[in-house]
Amino acid sequence: MNDKNREVIVLALEKINEFCNGNLDAEEIYEEFSSSNKSSNEKLLNILKILSNNQINQHEILQEAMMSLEKTTPQQCLLKFLRRIDKNMGSHNYQFSTPNSNSTRIYDFSTPEILENLKEKIHAVASTSICRSQQNCSISNQLNISNPLTPSSSPSLFSFQKNRRKDAAQWFNLDIKEVDTQINIVAVPISTQEMILLNDIIFSLLGIRGTYIIPEEIKTSIGILEISFKVSDQIQKSLRDVTHEILPLGCYYYNIQNFIENVRFINCGQVLESLTATLRDLLHDYCLLISQLEFQHISGMLTVHKLHFYLRPTIKTMETLHKVINDITANSLTGGQILTLLYDKVNYLSGDEQTQKFITELLKRASLPYMNILYLWITKGIIDDPQNEFLIEDNEIKSRDETPENYSTDYWEKRYTPRRERIPRFLEKCSDVILRTGKYLNVIRQCGKKIDSGNLDRFHLFCPTSQMYMNIILEAYEFASKILLDVVLKENDLMGHLISIKKYLLLYQGDFITQLMDACEEELIKNVDTILPVKLENLLGLTLRLSSAKNDPYKDNLHCDILPVNLVTQMGKITHKLDECWSPENKIELTGIECFILKFDVKWPVSLVLNQFAISKYQMLFRQLFYCKHVERQLCIIWKENTTAKKFSPHTANLYRGAFTLSQRMMNAIQNLEYYMMIEVIEPFWHDFITKIKNKIENVDAVLIAHSNFLDNCLRNCFISDAVLLLGVTQLCQICLKFCEFLQVPIRPVGKGQLKQNVFYGLYDS
């Protein structure tokens, strides 16, 4: 070596010695490496160790130097060493400041420090490729794998696209302008190229920028930035081809780790938080796998083809996980949507047992918080879902006046509502059962009953191949439905309330209805605007105390009211056919008979069945029957007037005979109409309804359905639900009332022609 080269090398050694705070002489170092016969390789390595003291990849540098000493001369080794040190000091800096600290944390993937408590359990993918003997080899006492991706401050949820550039720059130093620092290795033997390439591959798999493998950013079709790798053309083609099959694993690892770092746990939901925690554990096992492969590389037992063989199962698994992460990111999935995605993946991977097992384990752990919310709902009727992930939403209005007795009519339908977009695929079939189970328990709890479901098994990790969770849900449903049915039917006497409603609103308490009409008729025949509701309420209370209804325990629940419209107008508004069936030219003068109704108040939880909507149906039946009963009473009064006509002469009485015959026919028609509605319609449907409740009903929902069917059948067959038929019945009753009003005019035996005119003119006019 000439003097000029000697001066350059000595100058470089002096700078390196000064940087590492060493006390070696640059001239002596040069002489040691020049006289190869006088120094052993061990001594030369000790010198290089001192010179590389402050280098973060000292262990790697020394390994390369040791291999170089075995294959080349000490002078060539020294030159290669100087180039490597110069490269480290000139273009790479792996020091990053830790948050909230003035110290510097160095992320080193291959430092020769001691690894304590190395995990014995390696991911199944690793166990298929590397035997246990290699796992427990001496590297476990020499390597310390620190996680290169410590989470920093998290951005908002699903902000991956905004942060990919920043994260990639931190990982692969993409912000550093690319400098041509590659040493020409085209003429180097393939075995040496392979050793150099293995270093870069291992670095790339862990997010470190290599020398001959350069990371590049690409943008996918869904708008997500990812990393691709470009292998130097200096590498032999066969090695380059195999490397291209391995390097996607580095992209998958980067994508998954970046996903974990960019999720804000405050807003992402419990399911996503559990998923990311599981991913952290899996990536830790991945790092252990790479450390084992690095040990084999250092030991000289690893080739590129062996590395590809060992990583092939891992590549397949990480690719699937990479696709799952991209789907979550692109569609902003949360909660049950994530569980549905994982569940569909498990079914889709039925031909790949190993990857399917991996995704199944991921699904089990991700679903754990969701299943805990479900368990609390089906055992206590409580929703503990602060981030709105559960399939059921509580729409309770927290008001000071909102008490169990004052719940609205649609409480049962709107207090708890299912959210179909939040239901995981594996719970879709039983979502209705889950909804009813919690609703039942919630009602029981509001009634002051203690819920004891201690015998119910707790959910374990969800498994898509097991139906155990379905059995627990059904068992909880049977328990809740049985308890609530007993509370409503037995403890709160639903049957007693129904019988009382039948007595009063369906006119089955005959003496009560007769006395009520006798007491209130004088007030009810007035115009609706002149009636005093307080007076009617007092008359109703008096009637209840004087009739046989005084022994009814629920008589105090009965009240009366005056509505501003008649039954035809009310049904027309409900069916939106008012204009078709009732278009009077002049304002209708309504009487109290047409607007009078009875109200029946019930308390919680009987109000679930006898809610205001159901009571309104009973009231419409009552208005129809009560109006017909009033018409019948008026026709009966006309029949009594027939005795007055008998005192007239035969010729005069004969003129009244046709009118009284018509009134008798009207009475028969009204009585037959009442008989049909009460005996042939209401009574059979009532009998079927009571029979179902006593024998076949298993839950409160079935009671609600049976009760609703009973009322709907009664309304339909009593001509009430059809506005056109209802109008016909109402007009028939009005004609009868007008006829009765005409005949109740005082009868005077006048002249023949005048009598005929007075009687039949009014009749035909009606």
Side-chain angles (χ1 to χ4, degrees), residues 61-300:
I61 294 173
L62 293 177
Q63 290 293 333
E64 291 183 2
M66 181 179 65
M67 296 174 57
S68 181
L69 284 174
E70 294 176 355
K71 299 180 180 180
T72 62
T73 64
Q75 290 182 349
Q76 292 176 337
C77 175
L78 180 60
L79 290 175
K80 185 175 182 180
F81 173 81
L82 293 176
R83 292 192 187 98
R84 183 60 184 268
I85 295 297
D86 181 65
K87 176 183 175 183
N88 271 12
M89 296 175 63
S91 57
H92 289 77
N93 183 10
Y94 294 101
Q95 296 183 350
F96 301 93
S97 297
T98 41
N100 303 323
S101 174
N102 295 325
S103 62
T104 300
R105 180 175 181 180
I106 297 181
Y107 296 96
D108 186 6
F109 296 93
S110 57
T111 57
E113 301 172 0
I114 297 176
L115 174 65
E116 296 180 357
N117 299 325
L118 181 64
K119 273 190 171 183
E120 293 182 359
K121 181 184 177 182
I122 304 300
H123 192 268
V125 176
S127 63
T128 59
S129 59
I130 301 178
C131 62
R132 284 288 181 184
S133 61
Q134 295 171 343
Q135 177 181 342
N136 298 323
C137 63
S138 59
I139 188 61
S140 62
N141 296 322
Q142 299 176 5
L143 296 178
N144 180 22
I145 306 300
S146 59
N147 195 335
L149 301 170
T150 303
S152 58
S153 58
S154 303
S156 59
L157 183 61
F158 300 118
S159 59
F160 306 109
Q161 291 86 343
K162 298 180 181 179
N163 295 281
R164 283 296 173 94
R165 177 68 193 178
K166 177 181 177 181
D167 298 332
Q170 178 180 342
W171 279 41
F172 294 102
N173 293 324
L174 292 176
D175 286 341
I176 298 176
K177 187 176 180 180
E178 185 175 348
V179 180
D180 186 12
T181 59
Q182 298 178 358
I183 301 175
N184 193 334
I185 58 172
V186 175
V188 174
I190 295 180
S191 59
T192 305
Q193 282 191 12
E194 189 170 20
M195 298 300 293
I196 297 173
L197 184 61
L198 282 171
N199 279 331
D200 275 16
I201 292 176
I202 292 175
F203 289 165
S204 299
L205 295 181
L206 291 175
I208 304 174
R209 185 187 186 98
T211 303
Y212 298 94
I213 299 178
I214 307 300
E216 296 178 342
E217 282 185 330
I218 60 172
K219 193 170 185 178
T220 63
S221 57
I222 59 176
I224 298 177
L225 292 177
E226 293 184 353
I227 296 296
S228 65
F229 297 93
K230 178 181 179 181
V231 182
S232 174
D233 294 336
Q234 298 184 35
I235 304 298
Q236 201 269 341
K237 187 177 183 305
S238 61
L239 296 177
R240 196 164 61 242
D241 293 341
V242 178
T243 302
H244 279 302
E245 296 182 13
I246 300 174
L247 289 178
L249 185 58
C251 175
Y252 304 152
Y253 176 63
Y254 156 75
N255 186 38
I256 296 168
Q257 188 65 64
N258 201 39
F259 172 82
I260 295 173
E261 289 183 352
N262 286 286
V263 170
R264 186 188 295 272
F265 288 168
I266 296 176
N267 300 321
C268 69
Q270 298 181 59
V271 172
L272 193 54
E273 183 177 350
S274 179
L275 175 65
T276 53
T278 306
L279 292 176
R280 287 182 185 277
D281 294 337
L282 294 174
L283 293 188
H284 184 263
D285 290 340
Y286 168 83
C287 290
L288 293 176
L289 168 63
I290 301 302
S291 71
Q292 290 181 325
L293 295 172
E294 184 182 24
F295 169 72
Q296 287 202 354
H297 166 53
I298 294 172
S299 303

